[in-house]
Amino acid sequence: MRSDIEIAQDANMKLITDIAEEAGLELDDIEQYGKYKAKVNLDVLDRMEQDSDLILVTAITPTPAGEGKTTTTVGLGQALCGMGKNAAIAIREPSLGPTMGIKGGAAGGGYAQVVPMEDINLHFTGDIHAIGVAHNLLSAAIDNHIMKGNELGFDTTQVSWPRVVDMNDRALRNIVVGMGGKAHGVPREDTFMITVASEIMAILCLANNLTELKEMIGRIVVGYTKDDEPIRTKDINVQGAMTALLKEAIKPNLVQTLENTPAFIHGGPFANIAHGCNSAMATKMAMAISDITVTEAGFGADLGAEKFFNIKSRFADLDPKAVVLVATVRALKMHGGKEMEELKEEDLEAVSAGIENLEKHIENIQKFGLPLVVAINRFPDDTEAELELVRERCEKMGVNVALSEVFARGGEGGEELAEEVLDILDKGEADFDFLYDLEDSIEEKIETIATEIYGADGVEYSDQAKKQITKYKKYGYDEMPICMAKTQSSISDNPALKGRPTGFKLTVREINVSAGAGFLVALTGPVLTMPGLPKVPSAEEIDIDADGKISGLF
């Protein structure tokens, strides 16, 4: 089979004006970025009802064997449209860090991709760059303020606003700024994060308009005085300039799939260190132009789906109707103790052990009152006995299983899954509710997530986390939802624990406030906000010829 980029480069794309017109948008609603990409103006949301049935695609705990969540999202949208339904998809923008690092491209795969694939995976419409510049403007303004007299009284050991770059660069995790003498600033320790971990990214994905965006940016806590009083962006007075830098980035991007299904791609916070969902505005735009909207949330259901429900759906007033939980037999075998080189061999015992991970995710989704279908992203080496075992175990839990072959067959390969989704929608059994109330204490919310979603026996807090909880209660930040920063490699906070871990306690080492975005971030385990490159990064495989044709992106 050809590579993803080879398939994408042969795509029969429609002009983006045609995609927009077929979706019910007017020419004045879009701003073209070439022939095949466009920004959509926000006033569409004021004019068009967002009454589509919303489907969330999530997955089991990720493994190196792959699950195919984005591929399934794209393929399901294509399948629904191919069956005569009015469907659209909404997904995240890829970050250059993973694209150049370990994952390669992130726009679906095989015959279930969004296009133009190279543009989407590289600079796209410049949204992430704009977020990085806006973020670093605030960083520069803070250090300038400290150097020019520090009227706000920053405690330079408590400046909490880092710098960002959209690249995996471990050398920037811990730095010192202001070196070189008096003319170059006040020396202090600082850090870099990857841009998609920025609170600006989280804010962009939760704001509903420019006015709200500016207000949320103004509320960001950037540091503290020696008396532990918070200092905010509005005290520095650059929230207007930052919002001006984001005036185009706030508009969702419209592209298409290989089969010309409309696709909104906008915003890209990571789910292990942020809330892991595309922008609320993009989701709502997809809901405005379709009868069925398919969206996704990052990493496993314990991370992306939990945050989609408790954070994004709460803030954006979304009412999801069904969930697709993606798994592969290969990944289940890894959760059952097999190594990568052993995955081609039939092993019912390993599959059975790995299904415990799938079962936990099923239980978690049902706690939100939502019906679901398990999508098995089929690989050629899967045996009928292995597939039947998964089906039997899921049916015992009252959950149907559909085979998905969208990678190899596009929308046609997703029709079985689409039929299951349509059946769920026809039954109308969704009764969505949040897992916790905002009025619950910080500890109660964290412990609810830890025990209910992760299966922990309880929570242990570091002394630093305890002090931070006391401080956030003092300033009224205790009625915010919780964004858990946790490893994606395990349901627990220990990446080495596969399957369905039990008998552990979650350790919260630090809690940060994202006052602009409106949530608290609880850091657990060895979670890094600045990834590093592997020994052989994907960037070494990417090339371009004299005609500008890119190869090796995936």
Side-chain angles (χ1 to χ4, degrees), residues 306-365:
E306 183 271 314
K307 296 170 185 178
F308 178 89
F309 298 140
N310 282 321
I311 297 177
K312 178 177 176 177
S313 294
R314 194 189 301 265
F315 286 177
D317 195 26
L318 300 176
D319 186 20
K321 298 301 183 186
V323 174
V324 174
L325 179 59
V326 181
T328 62
V329 170
R330 292 161 53 86
L332 294 175
K333 286 179 184 176
M334 291 202 77
H335 280 294
K338 305 298 285 187
E339 300 297 331
M340 278 289 289
E341 60 271 14
E342 302 172 309
L343 297 182
K344 291 184 178 181
E345 304 169 5
E346 180 179 274
D347 192 328
L348 296 178
E349 185 176 342
V351 174
S352 180
I355 288 175
E356 292 186 2
N357 182 273
L358 173 61
E359 289 173 338
K360 176 57 177 166
H361 288 300
I362 290 172
E363 291 173 13
N364 289 346
I365 291 164

Short mmCIF file of all heavy atoms in Angstrom, two decimals, residues 306-365:
data_model
loop_
_atom_site.label_atom_id
_atom_site.label_comp_id
_atom_site.label_asym_id
_atom_site.label_seq_id
_atom_site.Cartn_x
_atom_site.Cartn_y
_atom_site.Cartn_z
N GLU A 306 -12.33 12.38 28.99
CA GLU A 306 -12.69 12.95 30.30
C GLU A 306 -12.67 14.48 30.25
O GLU A 306 -13.57 15.14 30.78
CB GLU A 306 -11.74 12.41 31.38
CG GLU A 306 -12.07 12.87 32.79
CD GLU A 306 -11.40 14.18 33.18
OE1 GLU A 306 -10.21 14.34 32.92
OE2 GLU A 306 -12.11 15.06 33.73
N LYS A 307 -11.66 15.05 29.60
CA LYS A 307 -11.56 16.51 29.52
C LYS A 307 -12.57 17.08 28.53
O LYS A 307 -13.08 18.19 28.72
CB LYS A 307 -10.13 16.90 29.14
CG LYS A 307 -9.11 16.51 30.21
CD LYS A 307 -7.69 16.68 29.72
CE LYS A 307 -6.70 16.19 30.75
NZ LYS A 307 -5.30 16.29 30.31
N PHE A 308 -12.85 16.34 27.46
CA PHE A 308 -13.90 16.76 26.53
C PHE A 308 -15.22 16.91 27.26
O PHE A 308 -15.96 17.88 27.06
CB PHE A 308 -14.03 15.76 25.39
CG PHE A 308 -15.11 16.08 24.40
CD1 PHE A 308 -14.85 16.87 23.29
CD2 PHE A 308 -16.41 15.61 24.58
CE1 PHE A 308 -15.86 17.18 22.38
CE2 PHE A 308 -17.42 15.90 23.68
CZ PHE A 308 -17.15 16.70 22.57
N PHE A 309 -15.54 15.96 28.12
CA PHE A 309 -16.81 16.00 28.84
C PHE A 309 -16.80 17.04 29.95
O PHE A 309 -17.69 17.89 30.03
CB PHE A 309 -17.11 14.62 29.43
CG PHE A 309 -17.27 13.53 28.41
CD1 PHE A 309 -16.75 12.26 28.64
CD2 PHE A 309 -17.95 13.76 27.22
CE1 PHE A 309 -16.90 11.25 27.71
CE2 PHE A 309 -18.10 12.75 26.28
CZ PHE A 309 -17.57 11.49 26.53
N ASN A 310 -15.79 16.99 30.82
CA ASN A 310 -15.81 17.82 32.03
C ASN A 310 -15.37 19.26 31.81
O ASN A 310 -15.72 20.14 32.59
CB ASN A 310 -14.94 17.19 33.11
CG ASN A 310 -15.63 16.04 33.82
OD1 ASN A 310 -16.83 16.09 34.09
ND2 ASN A 310 -14.88 14.98 34.10
N ILE A 311 -14.59 19.51 30.75
CA ILE A 311 -14.10 20.87 30.50
C ILE A 311 -14.75 21.46 29.25
O ILE A 311 -15.53 22.42 29.33
CB ILE A 311 -12.57 20.91 30.38
CG1 ILE A 311 -11.93 20.47 31.71
CG2 ILE A 311 -12.09 22.32 30.02
CD1 ILE A 311 -10.41 20.39 31.68
N LYS A 312 -14.46 20.89 28.08
CA LYS A 312 -14.95 21.50 26.84
C LYS A 312 -16.47 21.51 26.77
O LYS A 312 -17.07 22.54 26.44
CB LYS A 312 -14.37 20.76 25.63
CG LYS A 312 -14.87 21.31 24.29
CD LYS A 312 -14.23 20.62 23.11
CE LYS A 312 -14.83 21.12 21.80
NZ LYS A 312 -14.18 20.51 20.62
N SER A 313 -17.11 20.38 27.05
CA SER A 313 -18.57 20.33 26.94
C SER A 313 -19.23 21.25 27.94
O SER A 313 -20.27 21.86 27.68
CB SER A 313 -19.07 18.89 27.14
OG SER A 313 -18.62 18.06 26.11
N ARG A 314 -18.61 21.42 29.10
CA ARG A 314 -19.15 22.31 30.13
C ARG A 314 -19.06 23.76 29.68
O ARG A 314 -20.03 24.51 29.76
CB ARG A 314 -18.36 22.11 31.43
CG ARG A 314 -19.04 22.73 32.65
CD ARG A 314 -18.10 22.70 33.85
NE ARG A 314 -17.66 21.37 34.24
CZ ARG A 314 -18.24 20.62 35.18
NH1 ARG A 314 -19.32 21.06 35.83
NH2 ARG A 314 -17.75 19.43 35.49
N PHE A 315 -17.89 24.16 29.17
CA PHE A 315 -17.69 25.55 28.77
C PHE A 315 -18.45 25.91 27.50
O PHE A 315 -18.92 27.03 27.34
CB PHE A 315 -16.20 25.83 28.58
CG PHE A 315 -15.42 25.93 29.86
CD1 PHE A 315 -14.05 26.12 29.84
CD2 PHE A 315 -16.04 25.83 31.09
CE1 PHE A 315 -13.31 26.21 31.02
CE2 PHE A 315 -15.32 25.92 32.28
CZ PHE A 315 -13.96 26.11 32.24
N ALA A 316 -18.52 24.96 26.56
CA ALA A 316 -19.13 25.25 25.26
C ALA A 316 -20.60 24.84 25.19
O ALA A 316 -21.23 25.01 24.14
CB ALA A 316 -18.35 24.53 24.16
N ASP A 317 -21.12 24.33 26.29
CA ASP A 317 -22.53 23.91 26.36
C ASP A 317 -22.84 22.88 25.28
O ASP A 317 -23.83 22.98 24.56
CB ASP A 317 -23.45 25.13 26.23
CG ASP A 317 -24.89 24.81 26.66
OD1 ASP A 317 -25.07 23.89 27.47
OD2 ASP A 317 -25.82 25.48 26.17
N LEU A 318 -21.98 21.86 25.19
CA LEU A 318 -22.17 20.78 24.21
C LEU A 318 -22.94 19.63 24.86
O LEU A 318 -22.82 19.38 26.06
CB LEU A 318 -20.82 20.29 23.69
CG LEU A 318 -19.94 21.32 22.99
CD1 LEU A 318 -18.60 20.71 22.61
CD2 LEU A 318 -20.64 21.89 21.76
N ASP A 319 -23.68 18.92 24.05
CA ASP A 319 -24.49 17.80 24.52
C ASP A 319 -24.22 16.58 23.63
O ASP A 319 -25.00 16.26 22.74
CB ASP A 319 -25.97 18.17 24.48
CG ASP A 319 -26.85 17.10 25.11
OD1 ASP A 319 -26.33 16.29 25.89
OD2 ASP A 319 -28.07 17.08 24.81
N PRO A 320 -23.09 15.87 23.85
CA PRO A 320 -22.75 14.74 22.99
C PRO A 320 -23.80 13.64 23.07
O PRO A 320 -24.42 13.42 24.12
CB PRO A 320 -21.40 14.27 23.54
CG PRO A 320 -21.32 14.82 24.93
CD PRO A 320 -22.10 16.10 24.90
N LYS A 321 -23.98 12.94 21.94
CA LYS A 321 -25.02 11.92 21.85
C LYS A 321 -24.48 10.49 21.84
O LYS A 321 -25.23 9.55 22.10
CB LYS A 321 -25.85 12.15 20.59
CG LYS A 321 -26.58 13.49 20.55
CD LYS A 321 -27.53 13.66 21.73
CE LYS A 321 -28.29 14.97 21.64
NZ LYS A 321 -29.12 15.21 22.86
N ALA A 322 -23.22 10.32 21.48
CA ALA A 322 -22.66 8.97 21.40
C ALA A 322 -21.15 9.04 21.38
O ALA A 322 -20.56 10.10 21.10
CB ALA A 322 -23.18 8.24 20.15
N VAL A 323 -20.52 7.90 21.66
CA VAL A 323 -19.06 7.81 21.68
C VAL A 323 -18.63 6.61 20.84
O VAL A 323 -19.25 5.54 20.90
CB VAL A 323 -18.53 7.66 23.12
CG1 VAL A 323 -17.02 7.42 23.13
CG2 VAL A 323 -18.86 8.90 23.94
N VAL A 324 -17.57 6.79 20.08
CA VAL A 324 -16.89 5.69 19.38
C VAL A 324 -15.56 5.48 20.10
O VAL A 324 -14.76 6.40 20.22
CB VAL A 324 -16.64 6.01 17.90
CG1 VAL A 324 -15.80 4.92 17.25
CG2 VAL A 324 -17.96 6.19 17.17
N LEU A 325 -15.37 4.28 20.62
CA LEU A 325 -14.15 3.94 21.35
C LEU A 325 -13.28 3.04 20.46
O LEU A 325 -13.64 1.91 20.16
CB LEU A 325 -14.50 3.21 22.65
CG LEU A 325 -13.34 2.76 23.55
CD1 LEU A 325 -12.49 3.95 23.98
CD2 LEU A 325 -13.88 2.03 24.78
N VAL A 326 -12.14 3.58 20.01
CA VAL A 326 -11.30 2.89 19.04
C VAL A 326 -10.27 1.99 19.74
O VAL A 326 -9.65 2.39 20.72
CB VAL A 326 -10.56 3.91 18.14
CG1 VAL A 326 -9.71 3.19 17.10
CG2 VAL A 326 -11.57 4.84 17.46
N ALA A 327 -10.12 0.80 19.22
CA ALA A 327 -9.11 -0.14 19.72
C ALA A 327 -8.56 -0.93 18.55
O ALA A 327 -9.16 -0.99 17.47
CB ALA A 327 -9.71 -1.08 20.75
N THR A 328 -7.41 -1.53 18.74
CA THR A 328 -6.87 -2.49 17.78
C THR A 328 -6.52 -3.76 18.53
O THR A 328 -6.16 -3.73 19.72
CB THR A 328 -5.61 -1.97 17.06
OG1 THR A 328 -4.57 -1.75 18.04
CG2 THR A 328 -5.87 -0.68 16.31
N VAL A 329 -6.62 -4.88 17.85
CA VAL A 329 -6.19 -6.15 18.45
C VAL A 329 -4.72 -6.07 18.82
O VAL A 329 -4.28 -6.57 19.87
CB VAL A 329 -6.48 -7.32 17.49
CG1 VAL A 329 -5.81 -8.61 17.99
CG2 VAL A 329 -7.98 -7.53 17.34
N ARG A 330 -3.93 -5.43 17.96
CA ARG A 330 -2.49 -5.29 18.22
C ARG A 330 -2.25 -4.57 19.55
O ARG A 330 -1.42 -4.99 20.36
CB ARG A 330 -1.84 -4.49 17.09
CG ARG A 330 -1.80 -5.20 15.76
CD ARG A 330 -1.56 -4.21 14.61
NE ARG A 330 -0.40 -3.37 14.82
CZ ARG A 330 0.84 -3.70 14.49
NH1 ARG A 330 1.07 -4.88 13.92
NH2 ARG A 330 1.84 -2.89 14.72
N ALA A 331 -2.95 -3.46 19.76
CA ALA A 331 -2.77 -2.69 21.00
C ALA A 331 -3.25 -3.49 22.21
O ALA A 331 -2.63 -3.43 23.29
CB ALA A 331 -3.51 -1.37 20.91
N LEU A 332 -4.34 -4.23 22.05
CA LEU A 332 -4.83 -5.05 23.16
C LEU A 332 -3.80 -6.11 23.55
O LEU A 332 -3.60 -6.41 24.73
CB LEU A 332 -6.15 -5.71 22.79
CG LEU A 332 -7.34 -4.76 22.59
CD1 LEU A 332 -8.57 -5.53 22.11
CD2 LEU A 332 -7.67 -4.01 23.88
N LYS A 333 -3.11 -6.67 22.56
CA LYS A 333 -2.05 -7.64 22.86
C LYS A 333 -0.93 -6.99 23.66
O LYS A 333 -0.37 -7.61 24.58
CB LYS A 333 -1.49 -8.22 21.56
CG LYS A 333 -2.40 -9.22 20.86
CD LYS A 333 -1.73 -9.71 19.58
CE LYS A 333 -2.63 -10.63 18.78
NZ LYS A 333 -2.00 -11.03 17.50
N MET A 334 -0.58 -5.74 23.31
CA MET A 334 0.48 -5.06 24.06
C MET A 334 0.04 -4.81 25.50
O MET A 334 0.84 -4.95 26.44
CB MET A 334 0.87 -3.75 23.37
CG MET A 334 1.57 -3.93 22.05
SD MET A 334 2.58 -2.51 21.55
CE MET A 334 4.03 -2.72 22.58
N HIS A 335 -1.22 -4.45 25.68
CA HIS A 335 -1.72 -4.29 27.05
C HIS A 335 -1.79 -5.63 27.77
O HIS A 335 -1.79 -5.67 29.00
CB HIS A 335 -3.10 -3.63 27.04
CG HIS A 335 -3.04 -2.15 26.86
ND1 HIS A 335 -2.50 -1.30 27.80
CD2 HIS A 335 -3.45 -1.36 25.84
CE1 HIS A 335 -2.57 -0.06 27.37
NE2 HIS A 335 -3.15 -0.06 26.18
N GLY A 336 -1.82 -6.71 27.01
CA GLY A 336 -1.81 -8.05 27.59
C GLY A 336 -0.42 -8.62 27.80
O GLY A 336 -0.28 -9.79 28.16
N GLY A 337 0.62 -7.81 27.53
CA GLY A 337 1.98 -8.24 27.85
C GLY A 337 2.86 -8.61 26.68
O GLY A 337 4.02 -9.00 26.87
N LYS A 338 2.38 -8.49 25.44
CA LYS A 338 3.19 -8.85 24.28
C LYS A 338 4.08 -7.68 23.84
O LYS A 338 3.77 -6.51 24.09
CB LYS A 338 2.30 -9.29 23.11
CG LYS A 338 1.34 -10.41 23.44
CD LYS A 338 2.05 -11.69 23.85
CE LYS A 338 2.67 -12.42 22.68
NZ LYS A 338 3.22 -13.73 23.07
N GLU A 339 5.17 -8.02 23.17
CA GLU A 339 6.08 -7.01 22.62
C GLU A 339 5.74 -6.77 21.15
O GLU A 339 5.06 -7.58 20.51
CB GLU A 339 7.54 -7.48 22.75
CG GLU A 339 7.98 -7.72 24.19
CD GLU A 339 7.95 -6.46 25.05
OE1 GLU A 339 8.14 -5.36 24.49
OE2 GLU A 339 7.74 -6.58 26.27
N MET A 340 6.27 -5.68 20.59
CA MET A 340 5.95 -5.28 19.21
C MET A 340 6.24 -6.40 18.21
O MET A 340 5.45 -6.65 17.30
CB MET A 340 6.74 -4.03 18.83
CG MET A 340 6.13 -2.73 19.30
SD MET A 340 4.62 -2.28 18.40
CE MET A 340 5.27 -1.85 16.80
N GLU A 341 7.37 -7.07 18.39
CA GLU A 341 7.77 -8.09 17.41
C GLU A 341 6.91 -9.36 17.51
O GLU A 341 7.02 -10.24 16.66
CB GLU A 341 9.25 -8.44 17.59
CG GLU A 341 9.62 -8.99 18.94
CD GLU A 341 9.99 -7.89 19.94
OE1 GLU A 341 9.70 -6.71 19.67
OE2 GLU A 341 10.58 -8.25 20.98
N GLU A 342 6.04 -9.45 18.51
CA GLU A 342 5.22 -10.64 18.71
C GLU A 342 3.76 -10.44 18.27
O GLU A 342 2.95 -11.36 18.38
CB GLU A 342 5.22 -11.05 20.19
CG GLU A 342 6.60 -11.34 20.76
CD GLU A 342 6.56 -11.56 22.27
OE1 GLU A 342 5.98 -10.72 22.98
OE2 GLU A 342 7.11 -12.58 22.72
N LEU A 343 3.43 -9.27 17.75
CA LEU A 343 2.03 -8.92 17.55
C LEU A 343 1.38 -9.63 16.36
O LEU A 343 0.16 -9.71 16.27
CB LEU A 343 1.90 -7.41 17.37
CG LEU A 343 2.32 -6.56 18.58
CD1 LEU A 343 2.10 -5.10 18.30
CD2 LEU A 343 1.61 -6.98 19.85
N LYS A 344 2.18 -10.16 15.43
CA LYS A 344 1.60 -10.83 14.26
C LYS A 344 1.09 -12.23 14.56
O LYS A 344 0.35 -12.81 13.77
CB LYS A 344 2.63 -10.87 13.13
CG LYS A 344 2.95 -9.51 12.54
CD LYS A 344 3.89 -9.63 11.36
CE LYS A 344 4.17 -8.26 10.73
NZ LYS A 344 5.07 -8.36 9.56
N GLU A 345 1.49 -12.77 15.70
CA GLU A 345 1.09 -14.12 16.08
C GLU A 345 -0.25 -14.08 16.82
O GLU A 345 -0.47 -13.22 17.66
CB GLU A 345 2.15 -14.75 16.99
CG GLU A 345 3.55 -14.78 16.38
CD GLU A 345 4.60 -15.16 17.41
OE1 GLU A 345 4.22 -15.48 18.55
OE2 GLU A 345 5.80 -15.11 17.05
N GLU A 346 -1.14 -15.03 16.50
CA GLU A 346 -2.39 -15.12 17.25
C GLU A 346 -2.10 -15.46 18.70
O GLU A 346 -1.30 -16.34 19.00
CB GLU A 346 -3.30 -16.20 16.64
CG GLU A 346 -4.63 -16.32 17.40
CD GLU A 346 -5.56 -17.37 16.80
OE1 GLU A 346 -6.30 -17.02 15.86
OE2 GLU A 346 -5.49 -18.53 17.25
N ASP A 347 -2.74 -14.71 19.62
CA ASP A 347 -2.53 -14.96 21.04
C ASP A 347 -3.79 -14.55 21.79
O ASP A 347 -3.94 -13.39 22.19
CB ASP A 347 -1.31 -14.18 21.56
CG ASP A 347 -0.89 -14.61 22.95
OD1 ASP A 347 -1.77 -15.01 23.75
OD2 ASP A 347 0.31 -14.55 23.26
N LEU A 348 -4.71 -15.47 21.95
CA LEU A 348 -5.99 -15.17 22.59
C LEU A 348 -5.81 -14.81 24.06
O LEU A 348 -6.56 -14.00 24.61
CB LEU A 348 -6.94 -16.35 22.45
CG LEU A 348 -7.34 -16.71 21.01
CD1 LEU A 348 -8.25 -17.94 21.00
CD2 LEU A 348 -8.04 -15.54 20.33
N GLU A 349 -4.80 -15.38 24.70
CA GLU A 349 -4.56 -15.09 26.11
C GLU A 349 -4.14 -13.63 26.29
O GLU A 349 -4.62 -12.94 27.19
CB GLU A 349 -3.48 -16.02 26.65
CG GLU A 349 -3.25 -15.87 28.15
CD GLU A 349 -2.24 -16.87 28.70
OE1 GLU A 349 -1.98 -17.88 28.01
OE2 GLU A 349 -1.73 -16.65 29.81
N ALA A 350 -3.25 -13.15 25.41
CA ALA A 350 -2.81 -11.76 25.50
C ALA A 350 -3.96 -10.81 25.17
O ALA A 350 -4.13 -9.77 25.83
CB ALA A 350 -1.63 -11.52 24.55
N VAL A 351 -4.76 -11.15 24.17
CA VAL A 351 -5.91 -10.31 23.83
C VAL A 351 -6.87 -10.23 25.01
O VAL A 351 -7.36 -9.15 25.37
CB VAL A 351 -6.64 -10.84 22.57
CG1 VAL A 351 -7.92 -10.04 22.32
CG2 VAL A 351 -5.73 -10.78 21.36
N SER A 352 -7.14 -11.37 25.63
CA SER A 352 -8.06 -11.42 26.76
C SER A 352 -7.57 -10.54 27.90
O SER A 352 -8.34 -9.79 28.51
CB SER A 352 -8.23 -12.86 27.24
OG SER A 352 -9.12 -12.93 28.33
N ALA A 353 -6.28 -10.62 28.20
CA ALA A 353 -5.71 -9.80 29.27
C ALA A 353 -5.79 -8.32 28.90
O ALA A 353 -6.11 -7.46 29.74
CB ALA A 353 -4.27 -10.21 29.55
N GLY A 354 -5.50 -7.99 27.64
CA GLY A 354 -5.52 -6.59 27.20
C GLY A 354 -6.90 -5.98 27.16
O GLY A 354 -7.06 -4.77 27.30
N ILE A 355 -7.92 -6.82 26.99
CA ILE A 355 -9.29 -6.31 26.93
C ILE A 355 -9.68 -5.63 28.24
O ILE A 355 -10.59 -4.78 28.26
CB ILE A 355 -10.27 -7.45 26.56
CG1 ILE A 355 -10.09 -7.84 25.09
CG2 ILE A 355 -11.72 -7.04 26.78
CD1 ILE A 355 -10.92 -9.04 24.66
N GLU A 356 -9.00 -5.95 29.33
CA GLU A 356 -9.30 -5.28 30.60
C GLU A 356 -9.13 -3.77 30.48
O GLU A 356 -9.86 -3.00 31.11
CB GLU A 356 -8.41 -5.84 31.71
CG GLU A 356 -8.73 -7.29 32.07
CD GLU A 356 -7.93 -7.77 33.26
OE1 GLU A 356 -7.15 -6.97 33.82
OE2 GLU A 356 -8.09 -8.94 33.64
N ASN A 357 -8.16 -3.33 29.67
CA ASN A 357 -7.99 -1.90 29.44
C ASN A 357 -9.20 -1.32 28.71
O ASN A 357 -9.74 -0.28 29.08
CB ASN A 357 -6.71 -1.65 28.62
CG ASN A 357 -6.43 -0.18 28.38
OD1 ASN A 357 -6.93 0.40 27.42
ND2 ASN A 357 -5.66 0.43 29.25
N LEU A 358 -9.64 -2.02 27.67
CA LEU A 358 -10.82 -1.61 26.92
C LEU A 358 -12.05 -1.56 27.82
O LEU A 358 -12.85 -0.61 27.76
CB LEU A 358 -11.04 -2.58 25.76
CG LEU A 358 -12.32 -2.44 24.93
CD1 LEU A 358 -12.39 -1.08 24.26
CD2 LEU A 358 -12.41 -3.56 23.90
N GLU A 359 -12.22 -2.57 28.66
CA GLU A 359 -13.39 -2.62 29.53
C GLU A 359 -13.43 -1.44 30.50
O GLU A 359 -14.50 -0.89 30.79
CB GLU A 359 -13.41 -3.95 30.29
CG GLU A 359 -13.73 -5.14 29.40
CD GLU A 359 -13.58 -6.47 30.11
OE1 GLU A 359 -12.84 -6.53 31.13
OE2 GLU A 359 -14.18 -7.46 29.66
N LYS A 360 -12.27 -1.04 31.01
CA LYS A 360 -12.23 0.11 31.92
C LYS A 360 -12.67 1.38 31.21
O LYS A 360 -13.43 2.20 31.76
CB LYS A 360 -10.82 0.27 32.51
CG LYS A 360 -10.64 1.50 33.40
CD LYS A 360 -11.62 1.53 34.56
CE LYS A 360 -11.35 2.73 35.47
NZ LYS A 360 -12.49 2.99 36.40
N HIS A 361 -12.21 1.56 29.98
CA HIS A 361 -12.62 2.75 29.22
C HIS A 361 -14.12 2.72 28.92
O HIS A 361 -14.78 3.76 28.92
CB HIS A 361 -11.81 2.86 27.93
CG HIS A 361 -10.37 3.24 28.14
ND1 HIS A 361 -10.01 4.43 28.74
CD2 HIS A 361 -9.22 2.60 27.85
CE1 HIS A 361 -8.69 4.51 28.80
NE2 HIS A 361 -8.18 3.41 28.26
N ILE A 362 -14.66 1.54 28.64
CA ILE A 362 -16.10 1.43 28.42
C ILE A 362 -16.86 1.87 29.67
O ILE A 362 -17.81 2.66 29.60
CB ILE A 362 -16.48 -0.03 28.05
CG1 ILE A 362 -15.96 -0.37 26.65
CG2 ILE A 362 -18.00 -0.22 28.11
CD1 ILE A 362 -16.13 -1.84 26.28
N GLU A 363 -16.43 1.36 30.83
CA GLU A 363 -17.07 1.73 32.09
C GLU A 363 -17.01 3.25 32.30
O GLU A 363 -18.00 3.86 32.75
CB GLU A 363 -16.38 1.03 33.26
CG GLU A 363 -16.60 -0.48 33.30
CD GLU A 363 -15.75 -1.13 34.37
OE1 GLU A 363 -15.19 -0.40 35.21
OE2 GLU A 363 -15.63 -2.37 34.35
N ASN A 364 -15.87 3.84 32.00
CA ASN A 364 -15.71 5.28 32.21
C ASN A 364 -16.67 6.09 31.36
O ASN A 364 -17.29 7.06 31.82
CB ASN A 364 -14.27 5.69 31.92
CG ASN A 364 -13.29 5.20 32.97
OD1 ASN A 364 -13.70 4.76 34.06
ND2 ASN A 364 -12.01 5.26 32.67
N ILE A 365 -16.79 5.73 30.09
CA ILE A 365 -17.69 6.46 29.20
C ILE A 365 -19.14 6.33 29.67
O ILE A 365 -19.90 7.31 29.66
CB ILE A 365 -17.52 5.96 27.76
CG1 ILE A 365 -16.15 6.38 27.22
CG2 ILE A 365 -18.64 6.51 26.85
CD1 ILE A 365 -15.72 5.64 25.99
#
